[in-house]
Amino acid sequence: MFTKSYGSLPASCKITKPGFFLGSHILSNRGITTSNVSQNSDPENASATPAPRIKFKRLDKTARHIMQILDREAVEEVRTQREIPDIRPGYIIQLRLEVPENKRRVSTVKGIVIARRNAGVNTTIRLRRMVAGVGIESLLPLYSPNVKEIEILDKKKVRRAKLYYLRDKMNALKK
Amino acid sequence: MIQPQTHLNVADNSGARELMCIRIIGASNRRYAHIGDVIVVVIKDAVPNMPLGRSEVVRAVIVRTCKELKRENGMIIRYDDNAAVVIDQEGNPKGTRVFGAIARELRQFNFTKIVSLAPEVL
């Protein structure tokens, strides 16, 4: 009983009693030297290292959070198509948006991220920038197919998740 | 969401500096005006020696609002101020230059001249 369990323990496992340390050292070496030994010992030690099982919830439990599952799948699908970096408030970002009306790319939407709202596939970021002397805030869906490329230019240190105080600071038209 | 008594900046060089909304053109008893709506304004402050003077009643089209403008692709645009461009009865701007960024929606409202004069179309 003892020998079986020690043969399958990984080397990083803590063993409290010093007396057993020598025995396990020998037995783990024996497991490492030939791969056949470890494979033969596996069916015997089904309790210690079972084959990985895929767990399924009861179908009615799955149905309750099916929307969460679908959302996660949609996000994974978008992530495999495009590379979307991790964007946090305080980052200065340059985006390339596609404008369907012009059939052209409007490049360089460049601004500072002042907020990020996580909602699965509808995760949105708020960008603040100065355009032609006017401050403009845009709210963009992060996983939108119109967003072609995102590039992080700079990272500013902020101590907030939502930087709405910048509306008073960066306002050119404020009297 | 511009309503009567709202002060607006002026986004062109027609001579006015500040406008006050007195009426929204459209349906009767219409409460708020958004980007692309025509309003009747009175000029509260004007640049001296220009064709438009103080306390003149003119029409204007709203080009920037602090209230968000929503688009169908999920994008939302919010400006930092409220601004309008002075127009005449047909919809042509009275000034010759337009300042600031103009939203693309004005083209659908048939203000193509304003959109073409804009330094940047969002």
Side-chain angles (χ1 to χ4, degrees), chain A:
Chain A
M1 193 53 191
F2 282 127
T3 54
K4 277 186 198 172
S5 60
Y6 276 122
S8 60
L9 274 176
S12 57
C13 238
K14 273 196 216 167
I15 299 168
T16 51
K17 291 198 179 173
F20 287 123
F21 179 72
L22 190 60
S24 70
H25 182 66
I26 293 170
L27 288 166
S28 62
N29 273 345
R30 193 180 280 181
I32 290 167
T33 45
T34 54
S35 56
N36 291 336
V37 173
S38 59
Q39 275 175 7
N40 285 338
S41 63
D42 263 355
E44 296 170 345
N45 313 339
S47 57
T49 54
R53 276 180 299 160
I54 302 172
K55 289 188 186 175
F56 284 110
K57 277 190 151 69
R58 275 172 26 211
L59 280 177
D60 55 344
K61 275 193 182 177
T62 308
R64 255 181 253 156
H65 66 106
I66 188 78
M67 292 305 287
Q68 212 178 5
I69 295 174
L70 286 176
D71 217 11
R72 229 182 309 150
E73 281 173 16
V75 171
E76 286 299 315
E77 203 184 297
V78 176
R79 287 200 155 245
T80 52
Q81 281 175 13
R82 281 200 300 274
E83 200 231 284
I84 294 174
D86 176 41
I87 297 180
R88 291 207 192 145
Y91 283 20
I92 299 188
I93 269 189
Q94 186 165 320
L95 289 180
R96 279 228 285 240
L97 277 183
E98 182 185 294
V99 182
E101 288 118 349
N102 271 349
K103 288 176 230 123
R104 264 184 292 129
R105 291 196 180 181
V106 176
S107 73
T108 68
V109 170
K110 182 168 133 181
I112 179 167
V113 177
I114 60 173
R116 179 193 164 123
R117 180 182 183 271
N118 292 316
V121 110
N122 196 25
T123 301
T124 55
I125 52 171
R126 260 196 130 105
L127 270 181
R128 190 178 165 83
R129 55 197 163 118
M130 297 294 263
V131 178
V134 183
I136 291 180
E137 274 182 29
S138 319
L139 194 129
L140 307 160
L142 196 59
Y143 299 124
S144 161
N146 286 338
V147 171
K148 290 302 176 191
E149 206 179 292
I150 302 182
E151 203 183 289
I152 298 178
L153 302 173
D154 197 12
K155 298 181 189 177
K156 293 218 176 269
K157 182 180 174 201
V158 288
R159 305 200 62 172
R160 294 239 157 343
K162 307 278 188 290
L163 314 175
Y164 295 140
Y165 64 87
L166 287 178
R167 286 178 188 163
D168 298 323
K169 275 187 113 178
M170 283 171 59
N171 200 346
L173 291 159
K174 195 173 169 191
K175 279 156 245 181

Side-chain angles (χ1 to χ4, degrees), chain B:
Chain B
M1 277 172 76
I2 311 292
Q3 56 183 353
Q5 301 288 315
T6 304
H7 282 243
L8 301 148
N9 290 334
V10 177
D12 62 359
N13 63 348
S14 55
R17 255 208 289 248
E18 196 169 334
L19 309 167
M20 184 175 90
C21 170
I22 48 181
R23 189 77 186 161
I24 300 170
I25 303 290
S28 84
N29 204 14
R30 194 154 161 211
R31 281 176 177 77
Y32 305 114
H34 299 275
I35 291 182
D37 293 336
V38 178
I39 54 173
V40 181
V41 290
V42 63
I43 298 175
K44 284 293 196 184
D45 194 16
V47 171
N49 305 326
M50 290 284 261
L52 288 179
R54 199 178 166 279
S55 73
E56 266 186 43
V57 176
V58 286
R59 289 201 172 191
V61 62
I62 297 174
V63 296
R64 296 201 292 266
T65 49
C66 285
K67 179 73 182 160
E68 305 91 22
L69 170 75
K70 292 188 188 179
R71 293 201 173 148
E72 286 88 20
N73 56 1
M75 197 162 136
I76 294 180
I77 295 184
R78 185 190 165 277
Y79 296 93
D80 267 359
D81 69 330
N82 304 308
V85 166
V86 178
I87 59 173
D88 59 7
Q89 288 290 100
E90 281 86 45
N92 300 322
K94 277 203 175 157
T96 52
R97 281 178 68 196
V98 164
F99 305 116
I102 301 289
R104 204 174 301 278
E105 274 76 4
L106 280 184
R107 192 176 281 149
Q108 282 136 28
F109 287 118
N110 295 327
F111 292 109
T112 48
K113 200 141 186 297
I114 297 179
V115 175
S116 65
L117 288 170
E120 171 122 12
V121 180
L122 271 187

